[in-house]
Amino acid sequence: MSTWHGLIDSDYRRWLPVTDDTPAVSLHEGNTPLIHSGHLSALTGCDVRLKVEGANPTGSFKDRGMTVAVSRAAQAGVEVVVCASTGNTSASAAAYAARAGLGAAVLIPRGAVALGKLAQAVRYGADVVEVAGTFDDCLRIARELAAQHPVALVNSVRNELRLAGQRTVAYEVVDALGDAPDVHCLPVGNGGNITATWDGYRAYAAEGLATRLPRMWGFQAAGAAPLVHGVPVAEPQTAATAIRVGNPATWEGAVAARDDSGGLIDAVTDEQIFDAYRALARHDGVYVEPASAAGVAGLLQQHARGGLAPGARVVITLSGNGLKDPAASLSDGYTPTETSAATADVARALHLAA
Ligand SMILES: *Cc1c(COP(=O)(O)O)cnc(C)c1O
């Protein structure tokens, strides 16, 4: 197998909106693990695979789109990229901007971004502005800034560059499995990723590289489920901050992915999300951030409702790394077991037989 140098310098290059003149701004994103889940397969009677997007360089799938967006920004001679973010877009934009020698300005909703993501943006050197508003406010402001000032917007909203990069996850899944799965589950926030993943499957099928298309099953948090209810949510609520979006920018794309694939977009409670979050770590050894567990929670919900055909081949996008949000783990009933530095005390604390 040839060495992996990131999406733009891979066989997927021909699918990306880059030319010979585009500098490849890359951290070797993509080519993430697709691993079998014995736990979820046994629970559902299906063949369940986990696409571990937290293995990307900044810890989320956002890197797939950001390598393209920032490469093109660098090619265009832009000096500053700007984005609104629930956290991961800002971490990714800041990293790729640093790599390209560009400035990054990131707008985040005050107090609603996981600490690991904020730490990343700060360390990569972004200008971080905490806005007294929601993600949706941040996105409106970022768009206005990009319209009025010489800065490039790198949100996925109408950003074909980001979406083109994010489609590569579907190519990787088909190349690994030999065809598309029956069902692809994923969390839905702003709607970009479900749109891009579906478009990726369709592009591959259109060229005969896949013989079938999956049903797209997207899941929103119950307190932030505008696509489920069909109306924007003014004050979205969920501890899964990456999907705390009240008015998805890629609304039509997400709905089209659902309808054209014969799929669904449904809601799962924070309790279901956190149960799945704990189980993924405990039973599969995969530590994700809370939002990333929404696809797993949704799959189990569908299974419980009898909506999942036995033996189906299922892929779940695990969108981000658990290290992004350690507070979510520790707020969850961790009490330290403390002992002296004597081995006997430690053995007793561990209930080891004498
Ligand atoms: C951005 C993000 C999502 C939501 O993706 P959208 O494209 O906004 O729907 C889900 N999980 C994580 C970890 C994310 O960073």
Side-chain angles (χ1 to χ4, degrees):
M1 194 185 147
S2 60
T3 313
W4 184 259
H5 293 293
L7 294 170
I8 291 177
D9 287 330
S10 76
D11 289 346
Y12 301 127
R13 179 189 180 90
R14 69 187 185 90
W15 300 95
L16 300 174
V18 295
T19 66
D20 290 348
D21 299 328
T22 312
V25 181
S26 174
L27 289 159
H28 295 198
E29 60 293 316
N31 197 25
T32 55
L34 180 67
I35 63 176
H36 182 257
S37 170
H39 175 67
L40 292 169
S41 297
L43 273 181
T44 60
C46 291
D47 174 5
V48 181
R49 315 283 177 113
L50 308 171
K51 187 65 171 160
V52 185
E53 290 292 281
N56 276 298
T58 78
S60 83
F61 73 81
K62 299 298 199 298
D63 294 342
R64 293 182 182 274
M66 205 56 76
T67 183
V68 180
V70 175
S71 293
R72 288 285 302 271
Q75 179 180 9
V78 165
E79 281 171 15
V80 177
V81 298
V82 63
C83 68
S85 179
T86 58
N88 282 328
T89 296
S90 65
S92 187
Y96 284 81
R99 190 123 182 108
L102 307 180
V106 309
L107 313 184
I108 58 176
R110 186 156 79 209
V113 167
L115 189 61
K117 305 174 189 183
L118 179 60
Q120 285 180 290
V122 169
R123 188 53 50 219
Y124 291 129
D127 286 322
V128 178
V129 181
E130 300 201 19
V131 175
T134 62
F135 166 79
D136 306 283
D137 291 315
C138 294
L139 185 54
R140 169 181 54 77
I141 296 165
R143 286 164 132 163
E144 287 169 6
L145 291 178
Q148 295 160 10
H149 302 274
V151 296
L153 184 69
V154 293
N155 279 103
S156 59
V157 40
R158 286 197 211 108
N159 190 330
E160 175 53 25
L161 307 178
R162 286 267 312 276
L163 295 178
Q166 288 179 203
R167 279 178 209 141
T168 57
V169 73
Y171 311 153
E172 290 181 14
V173 168
V174 172
D175 287 342
L177 299 180
D179 211 334
D182 298 302
V183 175
H184 190 122
C185 297
L186 75 177
V188 175
N190 213 22
N193 208 35
I194 190 172
T195 303
T197 305
W198 171 241
D199 286 347
Y201 282 118
R202 281 198 315 172
Y204 244 40
E207 287 215 2
L209 295 167
T211 69
R212 50 215 298 281
L213 292 167
R215 293 177 193 275
M216 300 300 298
W217 286 6
F219 299 97
Q220 300 200 286
L227 294 166
V228 178
H229 303 304
V231 284
V233 174
E235 298 202 1
Q237 292 299 335
T238 170
T241 49
I243 52 172
R244 188 160 156 186
V245 178
N247 191 10
T250 314
W251 187 297
E252 293 84 8
V255 168
R258 175 192 70 192
D259 295 345
D260 296 349
S261 74
L264 55 85
I265 298 178
D266 210 340
V268 285
T269 65
D270 275 20
E271 192 183 350
Q272 288 173 289
I273 289 173
F274 275 81
D275 282 348
Y277 163 80
R278 284 185 287 264
L280 272 169
R282 181 67 186 88
H283 299 298
D284 283 306
V286 182
Y287 185 27
V288 300
E289 66 171 281
S292 302
V296 175
L299 178 75
L300 294 176
Q301 174 167 280
Q302 281 304 112
H303 173 65
R305 290 177 178 170
L308 182 62
R313 184 172 261 193
V314 179
V315 170
I316 310 176
T317 299
L318 300 181
S319 45
N321 195 304
L323 295 171
K324 297 271 191 180
D325 193 357
S329 290
L330 298 179
S331 67
D332 191 36
Y334 167 71
T335 31
T337 302
E338 295 176 358
T339 72
S340 76
T343 304
D345 278 351
V346 176
R348 203 170 302 120
L350 291 172
H351 310 291
L352 296 178

